[in-house]
Amino acid sequence: MSTERSEQVIDTCCTTVHTLGRQNAKKEKSLRYMQKDGKFPVMFQQAPGDWTTYWIDIFTSLVEIRWRMMFLIFSLNNIVSWLLFGLCYWLIAHVNGDSDNADDDLCVSNVRDFTGAFLFSMETGATIGYGYRHVTENSIVAIIVVTIQTVFSCLLDTVVIGVVVAKMASARKRAQTVGFSRCAVVNLRDRVLCLSWRLGDFRGNHILEGVVRVQLIRYVKQPVGSLVITYQDLDIEEREIVLATPTTIIHKLEPGSPLYNMGPDNLRDNRFELVVSFTYTGDSTGILHQTRASYTSADIRWGQRFQDVLKMGKKHYKVDFSLFHVTTWVPVPFLSAEEYNRRGRPADGTTLIPIGKRNRHIAQVNLNINEELILQTFL
């Protein structure tokens, strides 16, 4: 069998395996531990303190809510405060009998009913001060209420400005410009089976330093209906990276790895999820940020590699982000890393690639991989 024919057979079989895997993944679709955007689909029921925990740390709660809810809350706060202080001014005027008094005897000038009291409260709270309505020296109570409202308005404005600035500089916004690839791949690197995925910064002001971490999450349903979740850290090469250009995060499938005995056939039968994170400090704001993503077994593509996105120009390095998520097929043993090592890694340029079992037939191909193909596969 010629090399060209062998590669065609590999492409056809790999496509079949990937298609069947996607169909099985659709049938066995389960709830993810973490969504692709880094959010956790977790809902708390009867938590200690319930809503009290949100009121204790009200500033953080306001920073985390949506913009429309924040604007609604602060609009209602202003309106309610104007109504309450307007009611106070109206009560002062009513007790003093300002509706029948002369202009010189009013507690608040030109405030004889609730409408005038509300307008004066709004002018005081918003520090508009038209001058038509103003407090007089006839009532010490009115002067005290004006002082309290002025201080309260300044405090409310300070909170609003602080929350708006904190939300605009939120780590979530910066995290949206740093992303992981939509899938992970398994291929050969230096004759070792490796699991890898991509990480890239989509902005011009690049991140100069960051730390990558990955955990394998397993969740098993118990007979009583409860769910047990276990966590295990995975060893990766080069945890601390400089993200000036897109980089590939690599985990070697070696003894000690929880994926060491998993092959392409039983990979999708295992219920696990890889939670990956990249923690870094923004170079513009100095704020700590974190970008998260997750990969289930259905997101792992066996026997593929990422397309090259980095090229060298005359004055600049050119990064083509249109190929950031694109993968291509490469010759890879369709065996678990444990079985691949047990059979012995080829020492020469010959690689044994089991195509797989279909209808009780086994097809195997010996490929003579030249130096160029090895370079494309390993990089």
Side-chain angles (χ1 to χ4, degrees):
M1 184 180 294
S2 63
T3 302
E4 183 179 357
R5 177 58 179 169
S6 301
E7 293 179 356
Q8 292 177 355
V9 173
I10 293 173
D11 291 342
T12 303
C13 183
C14 291
T15 304
T16 304
V17 172
H18 188 57
T19 303
L20 292 175
R22 287 189 299 178
Q23 292 176 354
N24 293 334
K26 290 181 180 180
K27 293 179 181 180
E28 301 177 359
K29 186 177 180 181
S30 59
L31 183 64
R32 302 178 71 102
Y33 178 77
M34 188 179 73
Q35 299 175 354
K36 279 292 188 179
D37 57 359
K39 297 180 180 179
F40 294 90
V42 180
M43 181 179 64
F44 296 99
Q45 294 181 346
Q46 297 181 355
D50 204 7
W51 285 98
T52 308
T53 55
Y54 293 94
W55 288 107
I56 292 176
D57 191 8
I58 185 63
F59 184 82
T60 303
S61 301
L62 292 175
V63 172
E64 291 179 348
I65 63 175
R66 297 180 180 273
W67 280 101
R68 56 177 178 267
M69 290 299 299
M70 190 199 71
F71 287 136
L72 176 62
I73 291 174
F74 282 112
S75 297
L76 291 177
N77 283 342
N78 282 310
I79 294 174
V80 170
S81 66
W82 295 339
L83 287 172
L84 290 178
F85 283 104
L87 180 62
C88 293
Y89 296 130
W90 177 78
L91 289 176
I92 294 172
H94 179 72
V95 172
N96 192 51
D98 288 352
S99 57
D100 300 325
N101 289 345
D103 294 340
D104 296 337
D105 296 330
L106 298 179
C107 293
V108 180
S109 179
N110 296 305
V111 173
R112 297 179 180 274
D113 51 17
F114 181 76
T115 302
F118 174 76
L119 291 176
F120 174 71
S121 175
M122 183 175 62
E123 294 173 12
T124 304
T127 64
I128 298 175
Y130 290 121
Y132 180 72
R133 298 178 180 87
H134 56 85
V135 66
T136 65
E137 65 277 6
N138 295 329
S139 175
I140 187 64
V141 178
I143 297 175
I144 294 175
V145 173
V146 169
T147 304
I148 295 174
Q149 184 179 6
T150 303
V151 175
F152 177 79
S153 300
C154 291
L155 179 61
L156 186 61
D157 292 340
T158 303
V159 174
V160 171
I161 295 174
V163 171
V164 171
V165 172
K167 287 184 69 66
M168 293 180 65
S170 175
R172 297 178 182 177
K173 304 303 179 183
R174 183 64 178 99
Q176 293 177 1
T177 62
V178 179
F180 290 94
S181 56
R182 286 192 289 263
C183 66
V185 297
V186 176
N187 51 38
L188 285 172
R189 290 175 177 269
D190 297 330
R191 305 188 185 281
V192 177
L193 281 173
C194 297
L195 172 70
S196 58
W197 57 93
R198 252 183 186 159
L199 173 65
D201 182 11
F202 309 135
R203 285 179 57 91
N205 52 338
H206 303 295
I207 299 169
L208 301 182
E209 186 177 3
V211 178
V212 180
R213 184 182 180 185
V214 56
Q215 278 190 329
L216 186 136
I217 311 296
R218 296 181 185 272
Y219 30 91
V220 181
K221 288 185 178 181
Q222 299 297 317
V224 295
S226 61
L227 189 66
V228 176
I229 300 179
T230 60
Y231 308 87
Q232 184 176 0
D233 290 329
L234 297 187
D235 294 329
I236 57 177
E237 295 184 342
E238 304 297 336
R239 289 184 177 273
E240 298 182 0
I241 60 176
V242 176
L243 198 60
T245 59
T247 185
T248 302
I249 313 301
I250 302 171
H251 166 67
K252 291 185 177 181
L253 304 182
E254 294 181 329
S257 170
L259 306 177
Y260 180 63
N261 60 349
M262 294 186 189
D265 293 332
N266 60 356
L267 181 67
R268 300 184 186 278
D269 297 332
N270 287 270
R271 295 174 58 85
F272 70 90
E273 188 169 339
L274 295 176
V275 175
V276 297
S277 63
F278 179 55
T279 306
Y280 53 95
T281 302
D283 55 347
S284 301
T285 61
I287 299 176
L288 190 66
H289 305 270
Q290 186 180 72
T291 298
R292 300 185 297 267
S294 71
Y295 301 104
T296 62
S297 57
D299 299 323
I300 299 177
R301 300 179 182 179
W302 197 285
Q304 297 190 37
R305 64 179 289 270
F306 290 108
Q307 288 275 26
D308 297 327
V309 297
L310 184 63
K311 296 181 180 180
M312 182 180 294
K314 294 182 178 180
K315 297 183 179 180
H316 305 279
Y317 292 99
K318 298 181 180 179
V319 179
D320 186 3
F321 275 107
S322 63
L323 302 176
F324 185 77
H325 303 285
V326 179
T327 60
T328 182
W329 293 103
V330 290
V332 171
F334 272 70
L335 303 169
S336 66
E338 181 182 18
E339 187 176 359
Y340 176 61
N341 292 337
R342 185 172 62 249
R343 293 188 180 187
R345 301 174 185 174
D348 54 7
T350 302
T351 301
L352 180 65
I353 304 181
I355 298 302
K357 295 182 179 180
R358 292 294 180 269
N359 299 327
R360 298 182 180 180
H361 294 285
I362 301 177
Q364 294 182 347
V365 178
N366 287 324
L367 290 182
N368 294 322
I369 303 178
N370 55 28
E371 182 179 357
E372 181 181 0
L373 186 55
I374 292 176
L375 181 63
Q376 292 178 354
T377 303
F378 293 169
L379 293 181

